[in-house]
Amino acid sequence: MTSTGSSTRFRDCPRYWRTPLIPGAEMLTAEYYDHEFTPHWHDAYAIPVIEAGAETYRYRGSTHIAEAGSVPVINPGELHTGSRAVDAGWRYRVMYTPVDFLQKIADDLAGKPQPLPWFDPGVIRDRDLAYRLRHAHQLMEAGSDLLAAETAMIDALSTLLARYGSTRPETQRIAANDPRVAVMQAQLGADLAEPVQLSDLANAVGLSPFHAARLFAQATGMPPHAWRNQIRLQRALGPLRAGASVADVAAASGFTDQSHFTRHFRRMFGVPPGRWQAA
């Protein structure tokens, strides 16, 4: 933390890292002050624990405030934002846990296959759970005792599922599975470097451009062009993780240039792509 007169505030200081204990997961240890996350989603479950300060975020049509000791879980594919809720900013730890990994823990916990785990919108205020998640995160980051870290991680995620796991409401599944939206999403994601016009999407589903854009935004929470940029960013992670250059990934992802890619990447992940890759 840095001092500003008689007050203290956090810095914009994120660090992404990975652990062999959760294959495919991204882990984040961070503090933020100025940074504001624009509307975005993750393919994984975002499981944060706030250590100090407070974060405010928009999620499923409401504004939430997550203070120290709280756990503001975000479901995969769900649009949300993030910024400071208090003058100091906030410090937190996050497990971006792959869907199949958490699904396996849910199945093991129940002793039989379970529906996709889902968490109600809102901030979980459970000091015991927050302690378990923070402790597991710290042990995995230290990496000195993998047995203890894995035991703590399974305990923390099992506790989260047992206390707060549910299933996705049927109304949400119906809205998200509109076949016309699926057609437009497929067209937007088919070739990310290929230009697509709104009229192309509209013609594909037999709607006017106005009604196609409105349907898409109602189902996804984003206009088509913003949704496509999110897909570009999500698909860029694999090549970056494999060691491809930022410039090559930017071009293959359909961004106009590297600076355009970097700007969008930082707004979503809080760090430039090169720094994320270095983790």
Side-chain angles (χ1 to χ4, degrees):
M1 296 175 68
T2 58
S3 177
T4 307
S6 60
S7 63
T8 57
R9 72 180 192 186
F10 293 106
R11 302 166 294 151
D12 289 337
C13 185
R15 188 177 83 84
Y16 282 91
W17 50 277
R18 300 182 184 101
T19 172
L21 299 178
I22 310 180
E26 306 298 336
M27 312 294 282
L28 174 63
T29 305
E31 58 183 63
Y32 288 111
Y33 179 75
D34 285 320
H35 187 74
E36 296 185 5
F37 290 93
T38 55
H40 67 285
W41 77 80
H42 303 280
D43 288 337
Y45 292 91
I47 305 175
V49 56
I50 310 295
E51 293 189 297
E55 178 190 16
T56 182
Y57 62 100
R58 289 281 298 172
Y59 180 46
R60 299 208 61 81
S62 298
T63 299
H64 305 274
I65 294 179
E67 70 283 356
S70 65
V71 180
V73 177
I74 304 293
N75 293 301
E78 293 281 292
L79 205 63
H80 61 286
T81 63
S83 60
R84 73 175 187 266
V86 295
D87 288 342
W90 81 101
R91 186 179 75 232
Y92 67 168
R93 294 172 175 271
V94 189
M95 298 184 200
Y96 294 104
T97 309
V99 171
D100 58 350
F101 189 88
L102 201 65
Q103 178 77 70
K104 178 64 165 57
I105 295 178
D107 293 347
D108 289 346
L109 196 61
K112 60 182 179 180
Q114 293 295 294
L116 180 72
W118 209 252
F119 300 93
D120 292 336
V123 180
I124 297 173
R125 293 180 171 88
D126 182 330
R127 292 280 178 173
D128 175 67
L129 173 64
Y131 168 79
R132 293 170 191 247
L133 288 168
R134 182 174 65 253
H135 180 59
H137 198 282
Q138 290 170 332
L139 288 176
M140 287 189 288
E141 185 174 22
S144 56
D145 188 337
L146 292 182
L147 178 59
E150 185 172 20
T151 302
M153 178 267 293
I154 294 294
D155 169 73
L157 294 179
S158 297
T159 300
L160 172 66
L161 286 164
R163 293 181 185 175
Y164 302 101
S166 60
T167 57
R168 191 176 190 180
E170 182 65 23
T171 54
Q172 289 186 30
R173 285 197 291 269
I174 293 172
N177 293 334
D178 188 305
R180 295 171 297 179
V181 176
V183 169
M184 290 188 281
Q185 289 175 325
Q187 189 161 347
L188 288 168
D191 184 347
L192 296 177
E194 182 70 21
V196 175
Q197 295 183 325
L198 184 56
S199 58
D200 298 328
L201 302 180
N203 290 335
V205 294
L207 294 173
S208 69
F210 170 79
H211 285 99
R214 186 171 69 173
L215 173 64
F216 192 93
Q218 286 175 340
T220 66
M222 312 179 81
H225 72 278
W227 186 90
R228 196 181 200 207
N229 279 338
Q230 292 295 304
I231 288 295
R232 286 170 166 153
L233 292 169
Q234 293 289 350
R235 292 187 186 174
L237 298 182
L240 286 173
R241 193 180 292 116
S245 73
V246 174
D248 288 345
V249 173
S253 300
F255 287 95
T256 54
D257 53 40
Q258 184 173 332
S259 63
H260 183 220
F261 172 55
T262 297
R263 184 168 64 253
H264 280 278
F265 193 98
R266 188 179 185 281
R267 288 168 67 187
M268 178 173 175
F269 295 101
V271 294
R275 186 169 164 189
W276 183 93
Q277 186 182 51

